[in-house]
Amino acid sequence: MIRLFLSLLIFSCFACSEAQELKLGAEKMDKYLPLLEGKRVALVVNQTSTIGKTHLVDTLVSRGVNVVKVMAPEHGFRGEAPDGETIDNTKDAKTGLPIISIYGKTKKPSAEMLADVDILLFDIQDVGVRFYTFISTMHYVMEAAAENGKKVLVLDRPNPNGMYVDGPVKDDDINSFVAMHPIPVVHGLTVGELANMINREGWLEGGVKADLTVIPMKGWDHSQTYSLPISPSPNLPTDNSIILYPSLALFEGTVVSVGRGTDHPFEVIGHPNYTLGSYSFTPQPNAGSKYPPMEGKECFGQSFVGTEASYEFTLKYLLQYHHELKDDTTFFRDYIDLLAGTKEFRKQVESGLSEEQIRATWQPKLDAYKAMRKEYLLYEDF
């Protein structure tokens, strides 16, 4: 009897382990290949769009899928272009497929681009932060598809910051490519979950609805951490930088360097006039940043390299640096309003409010968002 119990226990644990093995949306080909049969397909992908070590483009072409073009987001098809750099149209050397840029002058696919397309497939690794531009690209892809009668297929991937929700929700009077949706800084959704939210909440221009299908993952939930096998962009090269990104990216709207032009972007912060830090670095042009802020100037501050970053959105670093630098320089740039998603944030910091006081002002909208978010979850929540 004891042997039988142990055997059942071992089998149960094995089955549980098997059930929890992560299977990405892209890996569930039995679910989406039938949807591509006989269709002219455009792929919205980048270097993260892989199945194992093989790029999705190569996999689908080898399976006989009629891929007619690739559409590339910020950083390009291979993910090598610096932040903000315009991406040019080109051809994929391996397959000969045309690569159409949808970052730069044209961020939304045009009717002409979609004339020879039946379905747009989106498969890009996101990091779960409102101002990270891949979700804005997804929005425009869905919008263009809805306006031109095309289908959209989203292959879901984990959110490495998907185990919490925090930060101010974007106000209606703040709108840009880094501030498109009324969601908090850390939105706690996968791209598939967010695509459903965008569609059903009527956030596409004119309230149009995309003909959308999301292929969910298997074996993932919002309580899990996830180490990205491929860097999503040149300036988020490590797990630590991705975890720190929600908080440290606010410094992009200030005079403080976040380490662009160094080996540790979004793992160091500093400024030439900051006197409290024991760490220093000097930004120089590199592959990830041709013109880094504070180029050639020694910046003093702190390093998080080698530390175990916490999954949290915090204002403590920004408030600390503002306190020390506000009398020496104009601390904020206009970009801070887009990152924070509200014009009130800058005023709150400049008036000397504490983090607790600032948080209290955004809590009602954050609570409302959290309630709405639950309606769109495809996976067990944290």
Side-chain angles (χ1 to χ4, degrees):
M1 191 71 179
I2 293 176
R3 287 182 180 177
L4 175 61
F5 173 77
L6 289 174
S7 296
L8 289 172
L9 181 62
I10 291 170
F11 176 79
S12 174
C13 290
F14 176 78
C16 179
S17 173
E18 286 292 298
Q20 290 305 307
E21 182 180 352
L22 175 62
K23 194 169 187 179
L24 303 172
E27 295 174 313
K28 297 171 70 174
M29 287 185 284
D30 60 318
K31 299 296 184 183
Y32 67 88
L33 283 181
L35 303 178
L36 304 180
E37 190 173 344
K39 305 295 185 184
R40 298 169 298 176
V41 182
L43 301 181
V44 186
V45 291
N46 68 1
Q47 78 284 355
T48 67
S49 311
T50 61
I51 299 176
K53 294 184 178 181
T54 304
H55 199 283
L56 184 66
V57 171
D58 301 326
T59 297
L60 294 185
V61 168
S62 71
R63 292 291 186 115
V65 174
N66 182 18
V67 179
V68 296
K69 66 185 64 175
V70 171
M71 293 185 173
E74 184 175 11
H75 309 298
F77 177 49
R78 298 298 178 188
E80 297 170 345
D83 294 64
E85 182 171 288
T86 298
I87 308 300
D88 296 325
N89 295 340
T90 183
K91 273 193 174 185
D92 178 39
K94 185 172 184 179
T95 63
L97 289 169
I99 300 174
I100 310 299
S101 170
I102 50 174
Y103 184 78
K105 185 169 62 176
T106 302
K107 291 184 173 68
K108 178 177 173 179
S110 65
E112 182 181 3
M113 290 178 188
L114 300 183
D116 59 347
V117 172
D118 299 311
I119 186 168
L120 293 102
L121 185 156
F122 181 96
D123 179 34
I124 294 177
Q125 177 64 59
D126 188 50
V127 299
V129 180
R130 184 184 64 222
F131 38 73
Y132 203 62
T133 62
F134 295 152
I135 58 174
S136 300
T137 293
M138 181 176 70
H139 177 114
Y140 277 143
V141 164
M142 291 170 58
E143 193 170 278
E147 293 169 350
N148 290 278
K150 312 298 181 179
K151 297 179 181 294
V152 179
L153 178 64
V154 174
L155 308 183
D156 216 2
R157 289 179 178 266
N159 177 352
N161 286 306
M163 68 292 296
Y164 73 110
V165 176
D166 206 354
V169 174
K170 186 190 79 71
D171 289 340
D172 292 339
D173 62 345
I174 299 288
N175 292 288
S176 85
F177 196 61
V178 295
M180 293 189 71
H181 310 113
I183 59 179
V185 171
V186 185
H187 53 71
L189 297 170
T190 65
V191 289
E193 292 169 329
L194 182 57
N196 283 329
M197 180 182 284
I198 291 169
N199 211 32
R200 296 178 201 166
E201 291 296 322
W203 293 345
L204 301 178
E205 184 70 26
V208 296
K209 295 288 194 296
D211 185 350
L212 171 69
T213 301
V214 174
I215 304 298
M217 297 171 283
K218 180 181 179 183
W220 187 82
D221 64 62
H222 283 279
S223 66
Q224 294 183 28
T225 59
Y226 180 67
S227 177
L228 270 60
I230 299 172
S231 171
S233 56
N235 285 295
L236 289 181
T238 66
D239 290 340
N240 227 30
S241 64
I242 291 167
I243 296 168
L244 290 163
Y245 178 69
S247 301
L248 298 193
L250 292 179
F251 282 109
E252 300 264 71
T254 75
V255 295
V256 176
S257 168
V258 294
R260 291 185 187 273
T262 75
D263 292 335
H264 304 292
F266 291 100
E267 289 189 272
V268 298
I269 47 177
H271 186 272
N273 296 350
Y274 190 74
T275 60
L276 299 181
S278 58
Y279 179 80
S280 70
F281 59 91
T282 303
Q284 300 289 355
N286 63 12
S289 185
K290 287 187 176 180
Y291 310 103
M294 297 297 168
E295 179 182 341
K297 298 179 180 179
E298 187 174 14
C299 297
F300 301 92
Q302 58 206 112
S303 168
F304 302 95
V305 178
T307 66
E308 188 173 339
S310 299
Y311 289 94
E312 64 172 348
F313 175 71
T314 180
L315 305 178
K316 62 184 178 183
Y317 305 117
L318 186 138
L319 294 178
Q320 176 183 331
Y321 276 72
H322 176 264
H323 178 75
E324 294 302 321
L325 295 173
K326 63 183 179 180
D327 295 330
D328 297 331
T329 183
T330 301
F331 186 78
F332 283 117
R333 298 190 174 108
D334 290 342
Y335 193 51
I336 190 63
D337 295 342
L338 301 181
L339 295 174
T342 171
K343 295 177 182 177
E344 295 303 310
F345 178 73
R346 182 204 316 228
K347 299 174 185 176
Q348 291 168 339
V349 174
E350 291 177 337
S351 66
L353 294 186
S354 66
E355 177 162 359
E356 183 179 8
Q357 290 171 318
I358 295 172
R359 283 181 171 277
T361 67
W362 74 50
Q363 197 62 47
K365 290 179 71 173
L366 182 59
D367 289 341
Y369 168 80
K370 287 180 178 179
M372 177 178 68
R373 171 182 171 273
K374 291 184 180 298
E375 301 176 22
Y376 294 97
L377 295 179
L378 297 173
Y379 315 96
E380 186 175 342
D381 207 4
F382 46 79

